[in-house]
Amino acid sequence: MSRMARLIDITRCTACRGCQVSCKRWNQLAGEIGAFTGSYQSHDDLSPGRWTMIKFYEEKKPGGEMAWHFRKATCMHCADAGCLKACPNEALVREENGTIRRIEENCIGCGHCVQFCPFDIPKVDEVAQKMKKCTFCYDRISNDREPACAKTCVPRAIVYGTWDEMAALADERLAQAKKLYPDSRIYGKDELGGLGVIYILPDSPAKYGLPEDPSLPFTLGLWKDVVHPFGKGLIGASLAATGLAFIISRRNAMKLKESAKLEEGGYDDEQQKNG
Amino acid sequence: MSSKRMVKRFSAAVRVSHWLYAASFITLAVTGYLQFGSALDWMIPLFGSLEGAMVVHRVAAVFLIIAVVLPLLMRPREVSAWLSEVFNFSRADADFLKSFPAKFVGVKKEIPPQGFYNGGEKINSLIQIICGAGLIISGLFLWLSAAPPTIMYPLHALLMAIGVASAIGHIYLALLNPVSNEAIGGMISGEISEQYMKENHGRWYEQTYKKRKGTP
Ligand code: HEM
Ligand code: SF4
Ligand code: SF4
Ligand code: SF4
């Protein structure tokens, strides 16, 4: 199966939050009433029971005029996924269709994935000790249905298809969007080896709470690609060296006993008895 | 044979701390390793689950910290004597290291007179002090911080590997090596034989007896 993706076209999104509701419905996540956030945003952040939401960003322009930006936040199912690399227990796997899927039984809720996701997506349910995030509707898409959020989207701001189709559609959509928003751009085609979400952003990523040039911290590679193999080698070498020394030391001890026997005509224990 | 003269080496507080540290360190190393590699995965049922092992890791961490703090409060002078010896690496220590390979494989060799600690013990102490302090600091970050600096992850793993590799050598020398394993008595009963003291810690022997003669 080829890699699948969602195109999320922010120039078409109306911030209706239909996807937010549809995700809850399909995944049977209970509704949660959050405190007032000071803006139109419904809740302060994603949560173990909220895998997608519309985030609002207010910008005060130099002239004092207010500008308003919003974006559907969701797991990007990155090609180069920091969460997957950080996970100590193989609780995250990459499926053939590009889904970064969590395996419930393997997840220990340690939260390493939280620290290494460049988009701050995974959320740990501290009571259940499980991390939760968007599943890319893996159950639906592996049965040839589109994700619940894409299906519900009226202005077709969320479109689902193969990654290549979505990349091509992004080019088309960008050409249209440029007429209304001259600063619009594509986000997700080149970032982190290609994201499973390709955005059309009307303006620069920073205005939508996205890192300009997302990357995985070098400490992640240092940890998993350098320290882990080096550490295993070091412990192995220490075990091997002491094991070998132990064998040699026993043989030396035996030799000493032998020569003691020859010189003094008797075994160690006999000598002890006599002495 | 039975009338071996014994010399006092370690106080009870220091011995309790040493064994508490050893037990916590091994528990931490095993439970931590379950996240680090897969060689010990067969031990997971011992802790119920990996989650259980990580709870044990945190409980053992508290005991390890107690094992470090205890002697600092109860025997500060013994601890500072240890530290000043360890951080004072001498000519005799370097010479000791030359004879160490033979000792490591169980061959008895004349060694230059050593102080209370020999060169090898000093290096082991140094490694354990650095790794222990680093593991406690990085471990507390990983445990208590909502967003620990990400360098703490590789740092914690690296110090574990160095600490464990050197602890393996330390355990072998203390328990299994026929030339040096008499020293274990110093950490169990607190005493070692005068003979062993003379042969392996000549400078300490001299200092001790010079002092005795000098006192009126
Ligand atoms: C001194 C001996 C210690 C050893 C040998 C040790 C070993 C380890 C190892 C191997 C890991 C897994 C890291 C990886 O996957 O690369 C780990 C994780 C961890 N350690 Fe330690 N550690 C020690 C002390 C401590 C202390 C003193 C603390 C806390 C005060 C601590 C807290 C943690 C935490 C929070 C983790 C992260 C895993 C988790 O989320 O449960 N460790 N440790
Ligand atoms: S967005 Fe974060 S959680 Fe999702 S795949 Fe990428 S790194 Fe993992
Ligand atoms: S919380 Fe779960 S998915 Fe995340 S790193 Fe830990 S075990 Fe893996
Ligand atoms: S793909 Fe499915 S799980 Fe992910 S945000 Fe959309 S509806 Fe929710």
Side-chain angles (χ1 to χ4, degrees), chain A residues 74-84 92 100 113 116-122 131 133-134 192 195 216:
Chain A
T74 175
C75 173
M76 312 283 200
H77 300 274
C78 315
D80 197 2
C83 59
L84 183 145
L92 289 162
I100 302 297
C113 51
F116 290 97
C117 168
F119 305 107
D120 198 18
I121 297 298
M131 181 276 274
K133 69 168 187 69
C134 155
L192 290 172
L195 304 178
L216 300 181

Side-chain angles (χ1 to χ4, degrees), chain A residues 88-89 107-108 112 115-116 129 219 222-223 227-228 230-232 234-235 238-239 241-242 245-246 248-250 252, chain B residues 33 35-37 50-51 104-107 146-148 150-151 153-154 157-158 161-162 164-165 168-169 172 176 178:
Chain A
N89 204 33
C107 177
I108 58 170
H112 296 354
Q115 306 307 332
F116 290 97
Q129 289 200 10
T219 47
L222 182 66
W223 181 26
V227 169
H228 271 193
F230 170 77
K232 283 169 200 165
L234 189 65
I235 294 172
S238 166
L239 278 173
T242 46
F246 177 62
I248 299 175
S249 74
R250 286 293 121 175
N252 285 338
Chain B
Y33 194 92
Q35 280 208 19
F36 179 83
L50 196 53
E51 289 98 317
F104 193 61
V105 294
V107 175
T150 55
I151 189 71
Y153 291 87
L158 179 68
I162 297 173
V164 166
I168 290 170
Y172 159 73
L176 300 174

Side-chain angles (χ1 to χ4, degrees), chain B residues 136-200:
Chain B
I136 290 174
I137 294 167
S138 57
L140 285 174
F141 265 107
L142 296 182
W143 185 359
L144 302 173
S145 165
T150 55
I151 189 71
M152 294 302 166
Y153 291 87
L155 187 65
H156 198 73
L158 179 68
L159 294 173
M160 182 282 291
I162 297 173
V164 166
S166 104
I168 290 170
H170 174 69
I171 293 168
Y172 159 73
L173 285 165
L175 290 183
L176 300 174
N177 184 302
V179 178
S180 60
N181 66 2
E182 201 197 319
I184 190 89
M187 225 9 129
I188 295 176
S189 64
E191 296 177 330
I192 55 166
S193 72
E194 205 175 83
Q195 180 67 20
Y196 185 84
M197 179 196 193
K198 211 171 178 177
E199 279 174 16
N200 293 279

Side-chain angles (χ1 to χ4, degrees), chain A residues 26-64:
Chain A
W26 176 257
N27 294 297
Q28 305 192 347
L29 303 169
E32 298 159 298
I33 296 180
F36 178 55
T37 60
S39 81
Y40 273 87
Q41 190 168 306
S42 60
H43 302 82
D44 59 345
D45 197 2
L46 299 173
S47 80
R50 194 180 312 115
W51 302 344
T52 187
M53 66 184 290
I54 305 295
K55 290 213 168 174
F56 286 76
Y57 304 92
E58 284 167 14
E59 184 199 358
K60 204 164 191 176
K61 297 241 163 169

Side-chain angles (χ1 to χ4, degrees), chain A residues 6 19 22-24 26-27 51-52 72-75 77 133-138 140 147-150 158:
Chain A
R6 276 172 291 171
C19 53
S22 165
C23 177
K24 285 243 179 204
W26 176 257
N27 294 297
W51 302 344
T52 187
K72 170 185 163 75
T74 175
C75 173
H77 300 274
K133 69 168 187 69
C134 155
T135 63
F136 202 1
C137 283
Y138 185 70
R140 293 177 60 92
C149 55
I158 311 172

